[in-house]
Amino acid sequence: MKVAIMGAGLSGLACAITLEKHGVTPAIFEKRSSVGDRFVNAEALLSLFTRPVNDCIASLSEHHGIFLHPIASIAKMTVYSKHEKVVLDGQLGFTNVRGREKHSFEAQLGRQVRSKIHVHSEKTYEELLADYTHVVLATGDSDYAKKNRNFREDLTVSIKGATVEGRFDPYEVKVWLDYEIAPFGYGYLIPFSEKEANLVIAIPDLPESNMDMEFLWSLYYPKVQAEFQQELPITDQFQITGYPIGICHSGRVGNTFYVGNNFGAMMPFMGFGQYAAWMTGIYAAHDLCGIGHYEDLTQPIRQSYENSIVLRRSMEHLSSESLDVIVRNLNSPWGKKLLTSPSLNTLKIASYLLRPFIRQKS
Ligand SMILES: Cc1cc2nc3c(=O)[nH]c(=O)nc-3n(C[C@H](O)[C@H](O)[C@H](O)COP(=O)(O)OP(=O)(O)OC[C@H]3O[C@@H](n4cnc5c(N)ncnc54)[C@H](O)[C@@H]3O)c2cc1C
C-alpha cells in the first residue's frame, strides 16, 4: 500500500501520525514552503461543540497518542448581544494558535510526523492517484471534492480579522451576537497572550446582509475598544471572502479519502472545524489500516454537521432583538446549564428543538 496525503494541515498530519503508529509511512505533499506557512490567527475549541467528547485535547492524547498544547483553557466566555450580556464560567474549551508560529497546532503536529513532507508541491490529485494506491485529500478547501461532484456546498462566509495589542485575560474569550455589526454572523476576541488578541467578524454571504466588511468593521472595532476601554492598536490583519462551507456526499470514493474541510469538517453554525479535521484524518488512517470503516467512523461528525446547519439556518431567521431575548435567557440557571454542563449535548438538543421551526419557515 502506497499512501499519498495532499495537504500538511490538521487533518493531513493527524492522518500521517496515525498511519505511522500502525506501521504505514505515507508521502505528504504540501503546496506551501513549510507546515503552517500562512497568516497567524487564534482559534478556539469549545466543548459545547465537541460533546460527547468534553475535553478534546485529553481525548486526542489518551485515545490517539497525538499531543497538542493549546494557548490556554477557556475558563470564562462573555457573550454580548445588542443590549444584553451573559458570562459563562467553567471548563469551556481551549484557545490555540494557527499558522506561521512555532506553537501553532499544525507546527506541533508537524514535529510529531516522521514521514517526509514534500513542500512546494505542485502535484495534482490526478498525478498522486496515478502514483499511489490511496490518496487522502487534506487540502483545507473543497476544490477537489467539488470538482469530483462529491460536495454539497451550503453557504459561503466572509471573515475579517486583526491582531490587536492590549491587556487581556488569556483564559477569557468574548463573542458578539449583534446583527448590526455582524449580520447573521458573529464577532469574537480570542487572546494569544496577556498582550495580544485576535479580533474577528465572520458573516455568511447572504443577499440580505450588508456585505461591506470595512463598514461593519468600522462599527465593530470601536465597540470592542469601548468594551475594553483600551485603544487596541492593530498590528496585523487578514480578510477572507467566499469561504465555502459544505459536506461531501461520500467520505471515501474508491481509494480517495476526503478529510478535514474536504469532508465537511467546518461546522456551519459558527465555523468550528479543528476537532472534526483531525478526527477525519485519524479515521481515514484507521480505515487504511483495516481497523474501521471511514463512513461508519465519521457518521457522528456528519450528524454534527447536519445539526449545525439547523442552528445556522435558525440564525438567519433571528433579529438583533431576538438575540437579546436568547442571551437574556441564557443568563438563567437552566440557560447556563445548557451551555456549560459537560453531560448535555447542547448542539443536538438545540437542533432538535429548532428543526420544526426551520421546516415551517422554509
Ligand atoms: C479565519 C478562520 C478562523 C477559524 N476559526 C476556528 C476556530 O476558532 N475553531 C475551530 O475549530 N475551527 C476554526 N476554523 C476552521 C478550521 O481552521 C478548519 O476547519 C481546519 O483548519 C481544517 O483543517 P484541514 O486539515 O482541512 O485544513 P488545513 O489545516 O487548512 O490544512 C490544509 C493544508 O493543505 C495545504 N494545501 C492546500 N492546497 C494544496 C495542494 N493543492 N497541494 C498540497 N497542499 C495543499 C495547505 O497549504 C494547508 O497546509 C477557522 C477557519 C478560518 C478560515
Side-chain angles (χ1 to χ4, degrees), residues 3-4 125 129 132-137 252-257 288:
V3 181
Y125 161 65
L129 207 54
Y132 291 83
T133 59
H134 298 80
V135 176
V136 178
L137 278 173
R252 177 178 182 170
V253 178
N255 286 335
T256 298
F257 289 82
L288 282 160

Side-chain angles (χ1 to χ4, degrees), residues 5-12 29-32 34-39 41-45 96 98 106 121 123 138-141 144 159 186 188 190 200 238 240 243 259-262 265-267 270-275 277-278:
I5 298 176
M6 191 173 190
L10 296 194
S11 57
F29 296 88
E30 167 56 48
K31 78 167 178 191
R32 295 203 167 99
S34 60
V35 170
D37 183 20
R38 64 132 164 114
F39 67 93
N41 69 315
E43 297 193 0
L45 292 151
N96 67 279
R98 298 292 309 271
E106 49 271 65
S121 167
K123 291 265 188 203
T139 50
D141 54 38
Y144 277 116
I159 309 169
Y186 59 98
Y188 61 83
I190 302 177
V200 175
F238 68 86
I240 301 172
Y243 192 87
V259 302
N261 286 354
N262 281 273
M266 188 121 161
M267 298 292 151
M270 293 192 103
F272 287 86
Q274 299 188 103
Y275 172 70
W278 72 58

